[in-house]
Amino acid sequence: MEETILSVKNLNKSFGNIQTLFDVNFECQKGHIIGLVGANGAGKTTIMKAILSLIRSEGQITIAGQKSTFNHHPILKKVGALVEYPGIYPYLSGRDHLKLFVDKTNDSKERIQNVINDLKLNDYIDQRAKLYSLGMKQKLGIAMALINQPDLVILDEPMNGLDPQATKDLREIILKRRDQGMTVLISSHILGELQKLAEDLIVIDHGKVIKKTTMNELLASNQHFVVIKTSDDVKAQKLLEIVGFKVVSQSPLRFVLTEENTVERLMNILMKQQITVTDFQHEDADLEESILKLIAE
């Protein structure tokens, strides 16, 4: 039986008389990476701020079996977070920030060095933070979220400002910590990155949860395509459309596969008309297409 580390029940939030969250319910299991996805303004950051007691909200939030409220939230000591922008003091070095945030234990020095090594901060960790670029500040913010080896980490757009190498490093750290039992609730508009990380998905639209699923389930329910090049693309397209294949693009020719319209059927039709297939590949819709389809529905 999997252990629930975070439970959000009937979460509602209004700013003045404008309601932004509507009965949001979901759970996060220990040792999972959970992606929170939706368009800008869907309510992802508001949900994260409510969990972290950064804003007052209605509903029930339970972390590791303890209720957490706006006025009483000792359990948040065990939660690491980076929401919106890291809070950075311009005249302190990166190392000083980590010293401020680390729990004072026998191994705190070692933990600081480990997170510096993991995130490859060595080159500038002793410089004042006011000299840092956006990406450097972001990496320092992530280091501050991870420094105390929390059971639950909440990351809002952690890839913001990171170059491709830093993004890959972050992905590897998140997966490594997940394997050690850490739970990560992560939002990102870089869906290709999320696809490589998240096992579970919570899709938000206009302040409501519209789908709770796993990455595998969502991608399996996707459309499948075949991309072909032939000796006569114009003729091939006309023929296949007549018999019911749906064309998605013309250059290259891309068709939707269904239970009825299989690769085998497509090949047979073209062979009978003496059209040679010179190139052929399978394609699956990606996470972005799946999410957009869900929101449109």
Side-chain angles (χ1 to χ4, degrees), residues 49-50 52-57 68-73 76:
K49 284 181 171 177
L52 294 164
S53 293
L54 295 172
I55 55 172
R56 206 182 275 275
S57 59
S68 179
T69 66
F70 184 73
N71 295 320
H72 185 74
H73 44 256
L76 289 177

Side-chain angles (χ1 to χ4, degrees), residues 226-243 245 253 255 262-280:
V226 63
V227 181
I228 58 169
K229 283 183 192 159
T230 70
S231 52
D232 188 342
D233 281 0
V234 177
K235 191 175 169 190
Q237 184 188 335
K238 272 184 189 161
L239 261 174
L240 291 167
E241 279 185 309
I242 288 165
V243 296
F245 276 86
L253 274 181
F255 295 96
T262 59
V263 170
E264 196 181 0
R265 181 169 183 235
L266 179 141
M267 291 299 212
N268 281 338
I269 289 162
L270 296 181
M271 271 165 59
K272 276 181 186 158
Q273 298 297 324
Q274 272 113 36
I275 295 170
T276 314
V277 176
T278 55
D279 191 27
F280 162 92

Side-chain angles (χ1 to χ4, degrees), residues 116-151:
I116 289 169
N117 295 343
D118 275 352
L119 280 155
K120 301 184 179 162
L121 306 173
N122 286 292
D123 289 351
Y124 51 84
I125 196 68
D126 294 306
Q127 290 177 14
R128 284 182 183 185
K130 69 174 196 166
L131 303 170
Y132 286 16
S133 67
L134 175 65
M136 289 160 143
K137 284 178 182 167
Q138 191 73 358
K139 281 169 86 171
L140 178 58
I142 293 161
M144 281 149 58
L146 296 176
I147 189 69
N148 292 314
Q149 293 163 328
D151 299 328

Side-chain angles (χ1 to χ4, degrees), residues 177-247:
R177 299 279 175 111
R178 186 270 321 265
D179 293 343
Q180 293 163 355
M182 187 173 86
T183 305
V184 186
L185 179 64
I186 180 171
S187 84
S188 178
H189 66 277
I190 308 168
L191 294 176
E193 271 311 313
L194 216 49
Q195 192 169 333
K196 295 171 191 164
L197 274 172
E199 298 140 273
D200 305 325
L201 286 172
I202 300 153
V203 186
I204 310 286
D205 190 39
H206 292 91
K208 293 181 181 138
V209 174
I210 58 166
K211 185 86 173 168
K212 286 180 272 196
T213 183
T214 66
M215 183 69 79
N216 289 344
E217 255 174 47
L218 187 61
L219 295 175
S221 68
N222 260 345
Q223 285 193 310
H224 304 284
F225 306 99
V226 63
V227 181
I228 58 169
K229 283 183 192 159
T230 70
S231 52
D232 188 342
D233 281 0
V234 177
K235 191 175 169 190
Q237 184 188 335
K238 272 184 189 161
L239 261 174
L240 291 167
E241 279 185 309
I242 288 165
V243 296
F245 276 86
K246 185 182 168 192
V247 66

